[in-house]
Amino acid sequence: MGLDQMIYGNTLGAWLMAAGIYAATTLALWLLERYALRGFTRFARGTQTAVDDLVADVLSETKFGLILFVALFAASLALQLDPTVALVIRRAAAIAIVVQGGIWASAALAFWVSRFVDQMAGEDAEAVTMVSALSFVGRLVVWSVVLLLILDNLGVEVAALLAGLGIGGIAVALAAQNVLGDLLASLSIILDKPFVIGDFLVVGDQQGTVESIGLKTTRLRSLGGEQLILGNSDVVNTRIRNLGRMEDRRGMLRIGVTYDTPREVLARIPGWIEEIADAQEEVRFDRSHLSGFGDSAVEFDTIFYMTVPQYDRFMDAKQAILLAIHERFERAGVAFAYPTQVVYTIPAGDDSGAEASGAAAPAEDTSSERAPAGG
């Protein structure tokens, strides 16, 4: 039996050549996968650059079984095959290449996401959430393209299919518009970053610390301890007060002293308060003035700023200022005003006077910070 003997439309020599091409291609791919790729991976781990790590991770996802279809297609080129058989082999090789490309694209996306999360974990929580959400969308797009390419290779009319999917997608979008609205709002929150995990928010009449930002809901932990679950679209469409990004905190004190306080003492009170405020750590004094004559007190208004936003430290400083003011007034003999009423009487038949009254009010603190959410 010679090499010129015909077998299924091809000579024995052609069949042997095709077998040799298939074996050589398969062996070459196996050697590349087993030795070259593993050596490159060890090299990439020893360098500081990310590009070689990316290439190593992507190539490590090569599926040897899929590459065999490429070897089969290469071998078939040496043969004269029935058109139907040749078409099947060509389509199988094309589908294998498309699927392998999808696997490589997913691996590259997973590598980037993993590297980003490792770098930003604990520093930018909302960016981690954004990348996790976008990576899912990215994988969905990749495999959608892969599926369409496979269908196109199988002879399916992709244009007609896309048109039908478009009509169906519109119907689904109308039925799930609330869910899609929350999904788009989550992307808006993630990309625009009006707040991040850990910020203290006031959203309408709700307030709390951001615990998580999901695809549909944002979850807050309120001051009372309960969890508040808000739809992302509701959050986006509401005015938000983000107290987590305060750089400092404003405080106001209103103090009233009695009217019998000497004028020279009244003139020194703003200076006393300034000295007391300046003595506190992390406090920036702004101003203190005699602001008016009340019904029963001479009133002083004081403005100061806490250079750190934490409410508990603000209240500690405010308490220290008030106690120091009380101690200073006590040493100087200055009395805080408190509600009193003085009644003057005149003898019967004396029309020269009339009954009058006066009052005095105690020290009053009208600080704008009424709750830990105050600003």
Side-chain angles (χ1 to χ4, degrees):
M1 182 171 57
L3 295 178
D4 294 333
Q5 183 178 351
M6 299 298 295
I7 301 175
Y8 295 108
N10 293 275
T11 64
L12 178 60
W15 282 108
L16 291 176
M17 180 179 292
I21 293 173
Y22 182 81
T25 304
T26 302
L27 179 61
L29 292 174
W30 180 79
L31 291 175
L32 284 173
E33 189 273 337
R34 185 169 183 84
Y35 295 104
L37 180 57
R38 293 184 181 181
F40 181 77
T41 301
R42 287 193 297 270
F43 168 77
R45 290 175 179 173
T47 63
Q48 300 298 322
T49 59
V51 176
D52 50 6
D53 293 329
L54 171 62
V55 174
D57 274 21
V58 169
L59 293 181
S60 66
E61 294 297 322
T62 302
K63 304 302 179 183
F64 189 71
L66 294 175
I67 300 302
L68 292 179
F69 286 96
V70 179
L72 180 62
F73 173 72
S76 70
L77 296 177
L79 301 172
Q80 296 293 327
L81 299 175
D82 180 81
T84 302
V85 176
L87 178 62
V88 169
I89 294 176
R90 186 170 64 251
R91 285 182 172 177
I95 291 173
I97 293 174
V98 168
V99 171
Q100 183 61 68
I103 294 173
W104 283 338
S106 294
L109 187 60
F111 173 85
W112 179 74
V113 170
S114 175
R115 188 176 182 86
F116 185 86
V117 169
D118 290 342
Q119 291 177 346
M120 302 303 296
E123 297 181 6
D124 197 348
E126 86 286 0
V128 173
T129 304
M130 174 191 69
V131 170
S132 299
L134 294 181
S135 67
F136 170 78
V137 176
R139 287 192 297 269
L140 183 62
V141 171
V142 167
W143 288 107
S144 296
V145 172
V146 168
L147 179 60
L148 291 176
L149 291 175
I150 291 174
L151 293 176
D152 184 60
N153 274 282
L154 293 177
V156 177
E157 290 291 338
V158 176
L161 178 62
L162 290 176
L165 290 176
I167 296 173
I170 293 174
V172 172
L174 291 175
Q177 55 182 332
N178 291 334
V179 175
L180 293 176
D182 287 329
L183 176 60
L184 294 176
S186 72
L187 293 177
S188 173
I189 292 171
I190 291 168
L191 295 174
D192 191 46
K193 301 181 182 180
F195 54 84
V196 299
I197 294 174
D199 282 351
F200 190 92
L201 305 183
V202 178
V203 184
D205 58 350
Q206 306 290 342
Q207 58 183 2
T209 302
V210 180
E211 284 193 333
S212 67
I213 304 170
L215 295 178
K216 189 178 187 307
T217 61
T218 295
R219 305 190 179 198
L220 311 180
R221 182 67 60 180
S222 74
L223 295 175
E226 69 271 18
Q227 189 179 66
L228 304 175
I229 303 174
L230 309 176
N232 287 329
S233 58
D234 294 334
V235 174
V236 170
N237 294 326
T238 304
R239 291 184 178 178
I240 302 172
R241 295 175 59 200
N242 188 346
L243 305 182
R245 296 182 181 174
M246 294 175 63
E247 296 181 356
D248 50 25
R249 189 180 288 268
R250 180 178 184 270
M252 177 179 177
L253 301 176
R254 175 165 293 171
I255 299 172
V257 299
T258 57
Y259 271 98
D260 58 2
T261 304
R263 185 170 57 255
E264 60 274 12
V265 175
L266 294 177
R268 291 198 297 268
I269 287 178
W272 295 349
I273 296 177
E274 180 178 1
E275 292 176 6
I276 292 170
D278 288 339
Q280 306 301 317
E281 294 182 359
E282 301 173 331
V283 171
R284 184 179 75 251
F285 176 81
D286 184 66
R287 62 180 177 82
S288 182
H289 295 93
L290 191 157
S291 59
F293 298 103
D295 291 339
S296 56
V298 179
E299 298 175 342
F300 292 85
D301 284 346
T302 299
I303 302 297
F304 68 94
Y305 289 90
M306 193 71 181
T307 57
V308 292
Q310 287 82 355
Y311 187 76
D312 54 346
R313 293 164 71 176
F314 167 78
M315 288 302 299
D316 288 341
K318 184 177 178 180
Q319 174 180 270
I321 292 173
L322 289 173
L323 291 174
I325 291 174
H326 188 280
E327 190 271 338
R328 186 65 176 266
F329 280 16
E330 189 177 65
R331 284 193 289 111
V334 177
F336 290 99
Y338 56 90
T340 58
Q341 186 176 51
V342 179
V343 178
Y344 296 92
T345 60
I346 58 176
D350 187 350
D351 296 334
S352 63
E355 191 175 273
S357 65
E364 179 184 4
D365 174 11
T366 59
S367 171
S368 60
E369 282 65 39
R370 297 295 187 184

